[in-house]
Amino acid sequence: MRNLAEFTIPFKGLKLGKHQFEYELDNRFFEHFEYEEFNSADVKIDLLFEKKSTMMELTFRATGTVNVNCDLTNEPYDQPIDNELFLVIKFGDEFNNEDEDLLILPHGEYEVNIQQYVYELVVLSVPQKRIHPGVEDGTLESDVLDKLEELSLKNQKKKNEDDIDPRWDKLKNLLNE
């Protein structure tokens, strides 16, 4: 997968200290990763990039919404996103990104691409089980929910009790006598 140029930060020319970067994400960003779980996305990434003499500290903050389908009703809704990620970049003999909080770049590198970290920050901000807020508070009107309610176990038991053949009641009376 090729790197997106706007997510490559050339740190070689940056002065020591704090630098602010902002990114606006939409569906095109996630299509680059072939991630198709979002119907639409409107996420803002604020990056505080602090360059120090021997390392760099990056603090990512993601805020916004992604439109996803509910796992219960398949109704689309806007899922709010609000998450942070802290990353330390150090220099070493070879590239190493095995630790999720530490990135080691080879000596002599002059830029870093952060697109993978941004992608993971947003995707992992969405809960595993996505439930429409209308389902939780009972305000969602949906054909799927009506059908689920109709087929629920409580309703099935009521139907079964109502549909009992009256002859069985006569037999039950024999047991009680």
Side-chain angles (χ1 to χ4, degrees), residues 33-91:
F33 289 91
E34 298 178 5
Y35 188 77
E36 298 173 355
E37 293 288 315
F38 300 155
N39 299 327
S40 64
D42 182 22
V43 179
K44 181 180 176 190
I45 304 292
D46 291 316
L47 171 62
L48 178 64
F49 187 101
E50 186 172 359
K51 183 176 179 185
K52 298 182 178 182
S53 58
T54 59
M55 66 179 185
M56 295 170 281
E57 294 178 347
L58 285 73
T59 306
F60 298 87
R61 174 123 181 123
T63 55
T65 59
V66 292
N67 190 280
V68 293
N69 290 338
C70 175
D71 289 337
L72 298 176
T73 64
N74 206 31
E75 295 285 328
Y77 74 99
D78 286 334
Q79 175 69 47
I81 299 291
D82 190 10
N83 203 358
E84 285 190 2
L85 171 71
F86 183 73
L87 176 69
V88 175
I89 300 176
K90 291 189 175 188
F91 296 96

Side-chain angles (χ1 to χ4, degrees), residues 7 48 88 90 105 110 115 138:
F7 293 95
L48 178 64
V88 175
K90 291 189 175 188
L105 295 176
Y110 60 93
Q115 71 184 17

